[in-house]
Amino acid sequence: MPDVKVAIERIDADGAVLLWLRAEHTTVFTHPEVLAALAHDVHWWLATADGEPACLWPVCVDAAGRATSPEFAYYVGPFEVGAADPSPRRRLMRAVAIQHKLLEALSATYHHLSWSTLPGRHELRPWLWFESDGNRTAVRPRYTAVFDGLECVTDGQIVLRIRSERRTQVRKAERSGARVIGDVALARVEALYCETMGSGRAGELARRRLGELRSMYRLVSQGHGFLVACGLEGDDTIRSVWLVLMGKGRACGVIAVSDAAWRHDCFNAFGQHRALVAARDAGARCYDFNGANSYARGSDKHSYGAEAELYFDCTFGPP
């Protein structure tokens, strides 16, 4: 192990914001304001190495103080806030020292612990090499779909990257008078979300999630993303909405909802194209479709020219 002195402490959200701004590899889902809106409470655990900030680990907790995963959020887990060591060996040994100290502190505080890695960040060994009282880290591979290089493409080039069937649907919608509408009220977003989710268990889940949906709507108004609302010429009714959270150059499509008539006419491709354009115009380098872990979702999301990116869901507990 390297001769590095690692210390662990809890910090407040204000301090976490400053460190999030410094971090090169993280997403909007670990921004303290975003997590505060989606979770009952957030504990921010900071690891310092030789007195310098090295890694920040947010743990979301419920009202009983149990670690939990917030609705709608992806990639909630530790992220580095210091400069990477240029030596591969020192970098690995340093990560082992830091992550083992963090897991010691967190496993002693929470009965159950789960987290996710960032897309493209695949160093799992520091966690896999840690064991405490027979508890170990288990990892589950997951995939998302990402449209990269947004800053370099025109509207037309975005269309050309999507599947021919989707291009046909975009043009059909445009000929039918599909357009982007400026503002959308929260009540309409809620209504479209519940309609899209349908009845039964999915409908019950939608109703339970309305509080988090309202929080995300407020986050957009606070500058953490944008909304794309679509309808038809000559009709002010909003037929579909894309809610996108954004940070660190990554736009994350959290919700895409529409009414039955819009879906029946296959106009969703128009809205998704406009969401990609809006992300580029907002300064995003990539658009993350947030999950492509079923045949249907993978087929749909990759049809827009998005490439697969691997990430991992991790848990610490009994094997």
Side-chain angles (χ1 to χ4, degrees):
M1 298 288 283
D3 185 19
V4 56
K5 183 179 180 180
V6 179
I8 307 297
E9 62 177 316
R10 284 265 306 271
I11 65 171
D12 61 21
D14 290 338
V17 169
L18 296 177
L19 291 172
W20 186 91
L21 292 171
R22 285 177 49 183
E24 181 179 357
H25 299 291
T26 189
T27 74
V28 68
F29 294 113
T30 55
H31 192 291
E33 292 178 2
V34 173
L35 282 183
L38 297 178
H40 175 78
D41 195 10
V42 185
H43 297 166
W44 294 96
W45 293 85
L46 174 65
T48 59
D50 295 330
E52 293 295 324
C55 182
L56 188 61
W57 192 320
V59 178
C60 299
V61 298
D62 61 17
R66 297 180 296 244
T68 186
S69 299
E71 298 285 357
F72 296 112
Y74 284 70
Y75 323 130
V76 179
F79 57 92
E80 298 172 0
V81 294
D85 194 302
S87 164
R89 183 185 181 279
R90 287 199 306 269
R91 188 164 61 246
L92 174 61
M93 295 298 101
R94 179 183 172 92
V96 169
I98 292 169
Q99 296 305 321
H100 284 197
K101 280 290 188 179
L102 279 165
L103 278 177
E104 284 177 7
L106 271 58
S107 61
T109 305
Y110 309 103
H111 176 68
H112 174 77
L113 188 64
S114 62
W115 67 96
S116 295
T117 66
L118 300 169
R121 309 292 284 182
H122 300 155
E123 181 55 272
L124 306 173
R125 292 173 294 176
W127 300 320
L128 295 175
W129 293 341
F130 179 81
E131 182 177 353
S132 176
D133 297 327
N135 295 318
R136 301 180 66 90
T137 298
V139 299
R140 181 188 182 196
R142 306 287 283 167
Y143 286 91
T144 189
V146 179
F147 190 111
D148 214 343
L150 270 178
E151 74 278 17
C152 303
V153 293
T154 64
D155 295 13
Q157 289 170 329
I158 292 175
V159 172
L160 290 175
R161 279 180 57 175
I162 68 179
R163 187 168 177 249
S164 59
E165 178 186 8
R166 296 288 185 232
R167 294 199 296 269
T168 299
Q169 292 169 350
V170 171
R171 289 163 182 151
K172 175 188 173 184
E174 291 172 340
R175 289 194 301 270
S176 300
R179 65 188 179 99
V180 174
I181 299 175
D183 297 322
V184 54
L186 173 59
R188 184 56 179 163
V189 178
E190 292 178 358
L192 287 172
Y193 178 63
C194 289
E195 180 179 343
T196 300
M197 293 290 282
S199 58
R201 290 184 178 179
E204 293 176 5
L205 175 63
R207 289 187 289 275
R208 290 200 305 269
R209 284 177 159 183
L210 285 178
E212 289 84 358
L213 177 62
R214 292 163 187 150
S215 294
M216 288 192 296
Y217 183 90
R218 289 191 292 270
L219 285 169
V220 167
S221 69
Q222 295 165 4
H224 292 291
F226 56 86
L227 291 163
V228 175
C230 302
L232 296 172
E233 290 286 351
D235 181 0
D236 291 333
T237 302
I238 292 173
R239 304 290 186 181
S240 67
V241 174
W242 269 250
L243 190 153
V244 180
L245 297 181
M246 183 172 158
K248 298 291 182 179
R250 192 181 195 97
C252 298
V254 183
I255 291 175
V257 294
S258 55
D259 65 19
W262 189 268
R263 294 193 301 274
H264 179 268
D265 289 333
C266 298
F267 286 174
N268 275 342
F270 172 85
Q272 184 59 71
H273 172 251
R274 291 302 186 270
L276 289 166
V277 171
R280 182 207 59 199
D281 292 346
R285 295 185 298 274
C286 67
Y287 185 100
D288 189 336
F289 284 78
N290 280 7
N293 292 295
S294 69
Y295 179 88
R297 290 183 179 180
S299 175
D300 176 59
K301 295 176 180 182
H302 291 303
S303 71
Y304 291 99
E307 298 287 350
E309 280 196 10
L310 176 67
Y311 68 99
F312 294 90
D313 284 342
C314 307
T315 58
F316 184 80

